[in-house]
Amino acid sequence: MSRFLGQHILSVNQFDLDAITQIFNVADTMQVYTRREKRTTVLDGAILGNLFFEPSTRTRVSFGTAFNLLGGEVRETVGVSNSALAKGESLYDTARVLSGYSDVIAMRHPDAGSVEEFSKGSRVPCINGGDGPNEHPTQALLDLYTIKKELAFHQRDINGLHIAMVGDLKFGRTVHSLAKLLCLFKDIRFTFIAPTELGMPDYILDTITNAGHQFNIQDSLDGQFDADICYQTRVQEERFPSKEEANKYRGKFRLNQAIYTQHFKSKTVIMHPLPRDSRADANELDNDLNQNPNLAIFRQTDNGVLVRMALFALALGVENKVKDYERAVPWHYHSN
Amino acid sequence: MSRFLGQHILSVNQFDLDAITQIFNVADTMQVYTRREKRTTVLDGAILGNLFFEPSTRTRVSFGTAFNLLGGEVRETVGVSNSALAKGESLYDTARVLSGYSDVIAMRHPDAGSVEEFSKGSRVPCINGGDGPNEHPTQALLDLYTIKKELAFHQRDINGLHIAMVGDLKFGRTVHSLAKLLCLFKDIRFTFIAPTELGMPDYILDTITNAGHQFNIQDSLDGQFDADICYQTRVQEERFPSKEEANKYRGKFRLNQAIYTQHFKSKTVIMHPLPRDSRADANELDNDLNQNPNLAIFRQTDNGVLVRMALFALALGVENKVKDYERAVPWHYHSN
Amino acid sequence: MSRFLGQHILSVNQFDLDAITQIFNVADTMQVYTRREKRTTVLDGAILGNLFFEPSTRTRVSFGTAFNLLGGEVRETVGVSNSALAKGESLYDTARVLSGYSDVIAMRHPDAGSVEEFSKGSRVPCINGGDGPNEHPTQALLDLYTIKKELAFHQRDINGLHIAMVGDLKFGRTVHSLAKLLCLFKDIRFTFIAPTELGMPDYILDTITNAGHQFNIQDSLDGQFDADICYQTRVQEERFPSKEEANKYRGKFRLNQAIYTQHFKSKTVIMHPLPRDSRADANELDNDLNQNPNLAIFRQTDNGVLVRMALFALALGVENKVKDYERAVPWHYHSN
């Protein structure tokens, strides 16, 4: 029985290296199901309450698909207007009620701390699918899992990694969480490339230093980087006081094939939390990188299903039984 | 084969004591599945059309979960804007079409009588999940089922019950329906505590008198009540002409631990249709009651799943076959 | 292995007579499941991404139900506001990501060509569920399948058919697609009854002529028609520049029982893409036709499930295995 049985997943702060190893080991065993080589019904009859009080198609569907691939059912709620919350119901009450309708809950909410508050009323494990500016731990886990797999492809492990993080590092929830998780490993080098006003917060820099790792700070994409990973982030317009303010930074930390070739080594893996803005004036991660085999952004979202399957299996204590409920897959087509 | 096979559930008026006994007997057999002691797939392949033309997270998810726990699938529609109704389609046409996509339908709609109108076009049984100010029969059933179970815990049955109903009794659909159902039993005493303007309607009072039961009316929460049940209702703001009008009544029929101790006996069970408004100025049912073991509000919503499972099983004629499709549950964690 | 394995269904233009025969033959085998005589779980574990960036309850639920009836699960997205598309994500990116969460995708979108653009990024087969004014191939297939079945009931086949198409033939996507498909058969006679301004476009008339079929054009519902099928279309208000412009044409091509008896022979089958507008001033297809056994409009929507099941089975290559995963259905009630 694992330490995750019946537990909430609220923050990356609750993970140590052993926890991460456990999650990733279980995630590895899920690939046979995401590739449709086999089918498992270990969670037949279990119900995921997929509560997206703030919409997010990608994350919502990824959680739902992960649960379906384990054989479970998904009951979904999207948007706060559909909810009793709009009538003044407390998160505690909502949690008490809705947790009676499911075996595990995945929840996104616009307010920081809301998922933790909800979890106090919940009678089943809750997984934070993003609570506003605060935490999105499954994104951090899938990012780290992607790094592990991409490095493994080059016969490397995470210890000794050099990662460049580019763009808006102040408001980018994902880079904060990923940096914290990387601090659990050994000899990590960080290069932070951001405008001064949007730099990595001091508390993250302190965490890095205290954990014995190194970082460099640059205010533009200049020079040569021997980074193993280039983690690009979106200029999140909604974090700025105005569209004008946001536009000032647009395109300044752009990555396209020519810029990539100029600044990075040929094996540098490109990551991004998605969605990327593909409008003409966005210029955050150009489409001409789509043919670059090091562009790992869609492998990231694929990995999200594996990581979420692992978390569900661990929270419900079936991580060692998944295989017992395996069966053959009769359909012929799958491209994954 | 039960009388419910293929029948619509539209109103509490269609139930007699025998019908209620049948439903509750089936509901009792469902507890093994809601507690995840066993899994059943008796409705594998059946589809619930869960049509919420008016949003209601709690009721919608409860119906969906109930159907999933019987092994069925759920196809869901939320909000009238998503619907052909917005293009002038009649409820008859909508029902003819959507009933071809499912085996049973649960429906909520803002207009009184709409579910009955819909049911005339439907080729499958329809369960009214609330048609505006009119009816919400599954809420009444789960309330009554909760009363039965709470009393059974104290070695009592419903006959001879004393129930206090508090708050807005004029617009409170749930207290009207519950009062009607209680009239099927023997020697019920009702105490209605409401402002004069929001008192229980005369036709309910007549029903009670005609059925040989007794009632008292009070315009405030004064004195000692030996009630077995205190059924508190929400001041439903949207029923008032204005927010100001609603606010006049807010807090006047508040219940908290101190008020409970002052006015009720120590075993009085507290019920509420939920959601309760937990905002500071709402004061309908305070959070300090959450530790009171007689607060049954979350047992009510849990019971809703049992009652809805029973209705689905009866409408589709599988109430005696549920056990034949039973299997073991492999996952370890459930708190219910 | 059929030609449909792993293929997108984007347009009626991709079908020849052989393709249609294959689809309809598979659709015929699905009736045992839609009638609940048997259950199949051939697609157990497969996931449909049901992406309705433009809402359409009927089409969305029909796709979902079809997939459930094959044993698969449905992950649904409704409305563009819920989507990363709103943050500037390209359809290519959305497709790459969401196709990693499913085995097949059904998609509706308000923009012409959007589903084809999406399909270029998708790693799984995409079925066009309507891309604005452009195409809605599954509607055309279910219309044609309905014609085939209705004629078969009268011991006829499609060759030699006389079809009248009535109403708004300029903006009516369904009549264009159906006309194209009918051109694949022999000796079809078309009668187009529409105001001059809303007549069938020239390119469709050319297609008909080039395929060796005949057509007549009338600007009102005058005279006697020996049509086998009368396909009525809705005055689609949203296609007109203003409500006033739309109202000019309302009611001019109305069909009710008296008009039907006056103009059509007693076996003429009445079809309509639905929804029909049942408001008093709409007058497109009156409710007094509901008792007419030739009114096939609800058989059309029922047939939609059969056709969509066939497309899913073909796209995933299980069309010959459906029966191997058959089981008995334990519930008693179904009216289909």
Side-chain angles (χ1 to χ4, degrees):
Chain A
M1 213 59 61
S2 88
R3 60 197 282 184
F4 292 104
L5 180 66
Q7 297 303 304
H8 306 304
I9 306 287
L10 300 173
S11 162
V12 292
N13 297 326
Q14 72 191 85
F15 301 127
D16 57 21
L17 205 53
D18 179 60
I20 284 169
T21 304
Q22 277 190 49
I23 295 167
F24 289 1
N25 283 347
V26 177
D28 286 343
T29 68
M30 297 300 175
Q31 197 157 279
V32 66
Y33 310 113
T34 60
R35 285 187 177 159
R36 272 63 164 179
E37 291 163 15
K38 293 282 181 183
R39 158 73 168 158
T40 183
T41 58
V42 69
L43 289 187
D44 171 51
I47 295 172
L48 166 65
N50 212 18
L51 307 180
F52 276 66
F53 298 117
E54 178 182 65
S56 168
T57 301
R58 169 191 328 279
T59 306
R60 176 178 54 82
V61 178
S62 176
F63 273 116
T65 287
F67 209 71
N68 281 160
L69 290 180
L70 289 166
E73 292 290 339
V74 182
R75 303 275 28 96
E76 211 153 68
T77 294
V78 180
V80 75
S81 67
N82 290 353
S83 164
L85 293 172
K87 293 185 188 170
E89 186 176 61
S90 67
L91 280 168
Y92 177 88
D93 277 17
T94 304
R96 287 281 306 210
V97 172
L98 295 182
S99 63
Y101 302 155
S102 50
D103 295 276
V104 59
I105 283 170
M107 173 172 165
R108 173 172 284 216
H109 192 286
D111 299 337
S114 55
V115 180
E116 187 175 356
E117 195 184 331
F118 182 97
S119 73
K120 289 174 187 163
S122 174
R123 291 172 282 169
V124 301
C126 296
I127 301 179
N128 187 352
D131 58 332
N134 186 40
E135 283 262 7
H136 188 10
T138 62
Q139 176 72 44
L141 286 172
L142 78 85
D143 284 343
L144 186 65
Y145 186 63
T146 300
I147 290 172
K148 175 181 167 286
K149 285 179 81 170
E150 296 289 326
L151 293 176
F153 184 76
H154 298 297
Q155 283 83 44
R156 291 271 315 278
D157 71 7
I158 296 177
N159 296 317
L161 171 78
H162 178 197
I163 184 168
M165 293 179 166
V166 184
D168 168 8
L169 304 184
K170 182 174 179 190
F171 296 107
R173 181 175 59 181
T174 57
V175 284
H176 304 172
S177 296
L178 179 56
K180 283 188 206 170
L181 288 185
L182 285 170
C183 282
L184 299 173
F185 292 82
K186 287 183 194 150
D187 302 321
I188 308 295
R189 260 197 306 149
F190 295 89
T191 299
F192 299 127
I193 303 168
T196 313
E197 299 87 341
L198 292 177
M200 190 60 94
D202 285 343
Y203 85 95
I204 301 285
L205 300 180
D206 290 348
T207 302
I208 291 169
T209 305
N210 293 339
H213 305 293
Q214 296 185 322
F215 64 84
N216 289 306
I217 294 179
Q218 290 199 198
D219 67 358
S220 69
L221 198 56
D222 274 333
Q224 287 288 117
F225 302 98
D226 71 338
D228 304 297
I229 305 284
C230 170
Y231 195 104
Q232 181 83 358
T233 64
R234 201 165 78 81
V235 176
Q236 297 205 61
E237 209 172 83
E238 64 270 30
R239 305 295 181 203
F240 289 90
S242 69
K243 200 181 169 84
E244 290 68 36
E245 194 73 12
N247 281 335
K248 268 175 55 185
Y249 294 110
R250 271 186 195 277
K252 294 222 172 183
F253 298 85
R254 173 186 191 176
L255 200 64
N256 62 23
Q257 185 58 42
I259 295 168
Y260 173 84
T261 308
Q262 189 185 341
H263 297 291
F264 291 96
K265 62 181 183 181
S266 66
K267 285 181 179 174
T268 301
V269 172
I270 306 164
M271 294 175 63
H272 187 288
L274 295 186
R276 64 171 162 175
D277 192 334
S278 288
R279 286 172 290 201
D281 60 345
N283 294 328
E284 57 183 296
L285 193 64
D286 281 17
N287 289 326
D288 70 356
L289 289 161
N290 287 358
Q291 307 315 318
N292 187 325
N294 296 305
L295 187 79
I297 59 177
F298 302 116
R299 295 194 287 273
Q300 276 176 275
T301 59
D302 285 351
N303 287 333
V305 177
L306 296 168
V307 166
R308 288 173 180 126
M309 290 177 79
L311 293 175
F312 287 136
L314 286 161
L316 295 173
V318 294
E319 71 275 13
N320 296 320
K321 300 186 175 182
V322 179
K323 219 177 150 51
D324 301 341
Y325 291 81
E326 226 175 57
R327 54 178 77 162
V329 168
W331 66 90
H332 298 282
Y333 180 79
H334 206 271
S335 67
N336 274 357
Chain B
M1 215 59 61
S2 89
R3 60 197 282 184
F4 292 103
L5 180 66
Q7 298 303 303
H8 306 304
I9 306 287
L10 300 174
S11 163
V12 292
N13 297 326
Q14 71 191 84
F15 301 128
D16 57 19
L17 206 52
D18 179 61
I20 284 169
T21 304
Q22 277 190 51
I23 294 167
F24 288 1
N25 284 346
V26 178
D28 286 344
T29 68
M30 296 301 173
Q31 196 156 281
V32 65
Y33 311 113
T34 59
R35 285 187 177 160
R36 271 63 164 178
E37 292 163 14
K38 292 282 180 183
R39 158 73 168 158
T40 182
T41 58
V42 69
L43 288 186
D44 170 52
I47 295 171
L48 166 65
N50 212 19
L51 307 180
F52 276 66
F53 298 117
E54 178 182 66
S56 168
T57 301
R58 169 190 329 279
T59 307
R60 177 178 55 80
V61 179
S62 176
F63 273 116
T65 287
F67 209 72
N68 281 160
L69 290 180
L70 289 165
E73 293 289 338
V74 182
R75 303 273 30 94
E76 212 153 68
T77 294
V78 180
V80 75
S81 67
N82 291 353
S83 163
L85 293 171
K87 293 186 188 170
E89 186 175 61
S90 67
L91 279 168
Y92 177 88
D93 277 17
T94 305
R96 287 282 303 208
V97 172
L98 294 183
S99 62
Y101 302 154
S102 50
D103 296 276
V104 60
I105 282 169
M107 173 171 164
R108 173 171 285 216
H109 192 285
D111 298 338
S114 55
V115 179
E116 186 173 358
E117 196 185 332
F118 181 97
S119 73
K120 289 174 186 160
S122 174
R123 291 172 282 169
V124 301
C126 296
I127 301 179
N128 186 352
D131 58 331
N134 186 39
E135 283 262 6
H136 187 11
T138 62
Q139 176 73 44
L141 286 172
L142 76 87
D143 284 343
L144 186 64
Y145 186 64
T146 299
I147 291 173
K148 176 181 168 286
K149 286 179 81 171
E150 296 290 327
L151 292 176
F153 184 76
H154 298 296
Q155 282 85 43
R156 291 272 315 278
D157 70 7
I158 296 177
N159 296 317
L161 171 77
H162 177 196
I163 184 168
M165 293 179 167
V166 184
D168 167 8
L169 304 183
K170 182 175 179 189
F171 296 108
R173 181 175 59 182
T174 57
V175 285
H176 304 172
S177 297
L178 179 57
K180 284 189 206 170
L181 288 185
L182 285 171
C183 282
L184 299 172
F185 293 83
K186 288 183 191 149
D187 302 321
I188 309 295
R189 260 197 305 151
F190 295 88
T191 299
F192 299 127
I193 303 167
T196 314
E197 300 86 340
L198 292 177
M200 190 60 94
D202 285 343
Y203 85 96
I204 300 284
L205 300 180
D206 290 347
T207 302
I208 291 169
T209 305
N210 293 339
H213 305 293
Q214 295 186 323
F215 64 84
N216 290 304
I217 294 180
Q218 290 198 198
D219 66 359
S220 67
L221 198 56
D222 275 332
Q224 287 287 117
F225 303 98
D226 70 338
D228 304 297
I229 305 284
C230 169
Y231 196 105
Q232 181 83 358
T233 64
R234 202 165 77 82
V235 176
Q236 298 205 60
E237 210 173 85
E238 62 271 31
R239 305 295 180 204
F240 289 90
S242 68
K243 199 181 170 83
E244 289 68 37
E245 194 74 12
N247 282 335
K248 267 176 55 185
Y249 294 109
R250 271 185 196 276
K252 296 223 170 181
F253 300 85
R254 173 186 190 178
L255 202 64
N256 62 24
Q257 186 58 41
I259 295 168
Y260 174 85
T261 307
Q262 187 185 343
H263 297 291
F264 292 96
K265 62 181 183 181
S266 66
K267 284 181 179 175
T268 300
V269 172
I270 306 164
M271 294 175 64
H272 187 289
L274 296 188
R276 64 171 162 175
D277 192 333
S278 289
R279 287 172 290 201
D281 60 345
N283 294 329
E284 58 183 297
L285 194 64
D286 280 18
N287 289 327
D288 70 356
L289 290 161
N290 287 359
Q291 307 315 318
N292 187 325
N294 296 306
L295 186 79
I297 60 177
F298 302 115
R299 295 194 287 272
Q300 276 177 276
T301 59
D302 285 351
N303 286 333
V305 177
L306 296 168
V307 166
R308 289 172 179 126
M309 289 177 80
L311 293 174
F312 287 135
L314 286 161
L316 295 173
V318 294
E319 71 276 11
N320 296 319
K321 299 187 175 182
V322 178
K323 220 176 150 50
D324 302 341
Y325 291 82
E326 227 175 58
R327 54 179 77 161
V329 168
W331 66 90
H332 298 282
Y333 182 79
H334 205 272
S335 67
N336 274 358
Chain C
M1 215 58 62
S2 88
R3 60 196 282 184
F4 292 103
L5 180 66
Q7 297 304 302
H8 305 304
I9 305 288
L10 299 174
S11 163
V12 294
N13 297 326
Q14 72 191 85
F15 301 128
D16 57 20
L17 206 52
D18 179 60
I20 284 168
T21 304
Q22 276 190 51
I23 295 168
F24 288 1
N25 285 346
V26 177
D28 286 342
T29 68
M30 297 300 173
Q31 197 157 281
V32 66
Y33 310 113
T34 60
R35 284 187 177 160
R36 272 62 165 178
E37 292 163 14
K38 292 280 181 184
R39 158 73 168 156
T40 183
T41 58
V42 68
L43 288 187
D44 170 52
I47 294 171
L48 166 65
N50 212 20
L51 307 179
F52 277 66
F53 298 117
E54 179 182 65
S56 169
T57 301
R58 171 190 326 281
T59 306
R60 176 178 54 82
V61 178
S62 176
F63 272 116
T65 287
F67 209 72
N68 281 160
L69 290 179
L70 289 165
E73 293 289 338
V74 182
R75 303 272 32 93
E76 212 153 67
T77 294
V78 180
V80 74
S81 67
N82 290 353
S83 162
L85 292 171
K87 293 187 189 169
E89 185 175 63
S90 67
L91 280 167
Y92 177 88
D93 278 16
T94 305
R96 287 280 306 209
V97 172
L98 294 183
S99 63
Y101 303 154
S102 51
D103 295 276
V104 59
I105 282 169
M107 173 172 165
R108 174 171 284 215
H109 192 286
D111 299 336
S114 56
V115 180
E116 187 174 357
E117 195 184 332
F118 181 97
S119 73
K120 289 173 187 160
S122 174
R123 292 170 282 168
V124 301
C126 296
I127 301 179
N128 187 351
D131 59 332
N134 186 39
E135 284 262 6
H136 187 11
T138 63
Q139 176 73 44
L141 286 172
L142 77 85
D143 284 343
L144 186 65
Y145 185 64
T146 300
I147 291 173
K148 175 182 169 285
K149 285 180 81 171
E150 296 290 325
L151 293 175
F153 184 76
H154 298 296
Q155 283 82 45
R156 292 272 314 279
D157 71 8
I158 296 176
N159 296 317
L161 171 77
H162 177 196
I163 184 168
M165 293 179 167
V166 184
D168 168 7
L169 305 183
K170 183 174 178 189
F171 296 108
R173 180 176 59 181
T174 57
V175 285
H176 303 171
S177 296
L178 179 57
K180 284 188 205 170
L181 287 185
L182 285 169
C183 282
L184 299 173
F185 292 83
K186 286 182 193 148
D187 302 321
I188 309 295
R189 259 196 307 151
F190 295 89
T191 299
F192 298 127
I193 304 167
T196 315
E197 300 86 341
L198 292 176
M200 190 60 93
D202 285 343
Y203 85 96
I204 299 285
L205 300 179
D206 291 348
T207 303
I208 291 168
T209 305
N210 292 339
H213 306 294
Q214 295 186 323
F215 64 83
N216 291 304
I217 294 178
Q218 290 199 198
D219 66 1
S220 67
L221 198 56
D222 276 331
Q224 287 287 118
F225 302 96
D226 70 338
D228 303 298
I229 305 283
C230 170
Y231 196 105
Q232 182 84 358
T233 63
R234 201 165 77 82
V235 176
Q236 298 204 60
E237 210 173 84
E238 64 270 29
R239 305 295 181 203
F240 289 90
S242 70
K243 198 180 171 87
E244 291 67 36
E245 194 74 11
N247 281 335
K248 267 175 56 184
Y249 293 109
R250 270 185 195 276
K252 295 223 171 180
F253 299 84
R254 174 186 190 177
L255 201 63
N256 61 23
Q257 185 57 42
I259 295 168
Y260 174 84
T261 307
Q262 189 185 341
H263 297 290
F264 292 95
K265 62 181 184 181
S266 66
K267 285 182 178 173
T268 301
V269 173
I270 307 163
M271 294 174 63
H272 187 288
L274 296 186
R276 64 171 162 175
D277 192 334
S278 289
R279 287 171 289 201
D281 60 346
N283 293 329
E284 56 183 299
L285 194 63
D286 280 19
N287 289 328
D288 71 354
L289 290 161
N290 288 359
Q291 307 314 318
N292 187 325
N294 296 306
L295 186 79
I297 59 177
F298 302 115
R299 295 193 288 273
Q300 276 176 274
T301 59
D302 285 352
N303 287 333
V305 177
L306 296 168
V307 166
R308 289 173 180 126
M309 288 177 80
L311 293 175
F312 287 136
L314 286 161
L316 294 173
V318 295
E319 70 276 12
N320 296 320
K321 300 186 173 181
V322 178
K323 221 178 150 48
D324 301 341
Y325 290 82
E326 227 174 58
R327 54 178 76 160
V329 168
W331 66 90
H332 298 282
Y333 180 80
H334 206 272
S335 67
N336 274 356

